[in-house]
Amino acid sequence: YVGVSDVRGAEVTDANFAVLERMAHWQSAEAMWTRNPWLGVGIGNYEPAYARYALPMWPHALGHAHNYYLNIGAETGLLGFLAYLFLWGAAAVGAWQATRRASGWCWGVALGVLGVLVHLGVHNFFDNLHVHSMYLHVAILLGIIPLLSRRSDDVDSNHCSG
């Protein structure tokens, strides 16, 4: 199951159903993005637009493309996709810098924040983890990053120092 292929006409079995269903949604998202390259079908419109792009054996929308990068591209086009990558890249760089500057227990927290961002970045190739208020958790982690790498003269002895 490694690789991407056209799943139209693929034989569906119990063993491959989950993989083929994901790939069918990936193909539909790619079609949305291809036909609406700059601005996509609109934020939050993957599911309403799905019927126009669905593959014949996969008529039911699952709410998202099971690949957040394709999903964001389908919904917001190249402009939104690049903005998302910029945001995610800036968050990763900030977390990486925090691990380089922090010490003590703050280093562990910074490493944990970086780990969460890397995990979400990788896992979002296969699903959409920005559900169930995950954005609140990510926002809290992003808010913690600047606190982790403050200089020692900026904080008292009970807080992180670099």
Side-chain angles (χ1 to χ4, degrees):
Y1 297 124
V2 177
V4 177
S5 62
D6 188 349
V7 298
R8 284 179 277 238
E11 182 182 348
V12 180
T13 66
D14 288 342
N16 69 9
F17 178 85
V19 172
L20 293 181
E21 182 180 44
R22 269 188 167 69
M23 292 177 74
H25 278 70
W26 292 358
Q27 279 184 251
S28 296
E30 190 258 337
M32 287 180 207
W33 194 356
T34 301
R35 292 187 190 134
N36 305 281
W38 295 107
L39 299 175
V41 297
I43 294 175
N45 285 331
Y46 176 86
E47 189 168 12
Y50 181 80
R52 290 189 308 254
Y53 301 94
L55 299 183
M57 291 180 55
W58 306 96
H60 303 292
L62 299 177
H64 55 83
H66 283 283
N67 176 317
Y68 195 71
Y69 302 101
L70 286 174
N71 204 106
I72 199 77
E75 289 186 356
T76 65
L78 184 61
L79 297 176
F81 177 74
L82 291 175
Y84 178 77
L85 288 182
F86 178 78
L87 172 68
W88 210 245
V93 167
W96 172 254
Q97 289 174 341
T99 64
R100 309 265 307 168
R101 292 185 186 131
S103 62
W105 66 269
C106 291
W107 178 82
V109 173
L111 188 61
V113 170
L114 180 61
V116 167
L117 295 177
V118 169
H119 171 263
L120 288 173
V122 172
H123 197 129
N124 276 329
F125 277 106
F126 307 101
D127 208 348
N128 175 3
L129 290 184
H130 296 299
V131 294
H132 304 300
S133 301
M134 178 61 82
Y135 57 89
L136 295 174
H137 297 282
V138 171
I140 290 167
L141 294 176
L142 295 179
I144 290 172
I145 291 172
L147 300 174
L148 296 172
S149 57
R150 283 186 170 178
R151 300 200 186 286
S152 58
D153 56 348
D154 293 340
V155 294
D156 65 36
S157 61
N158 293 323
H159 294 86
C160 298
S161 60

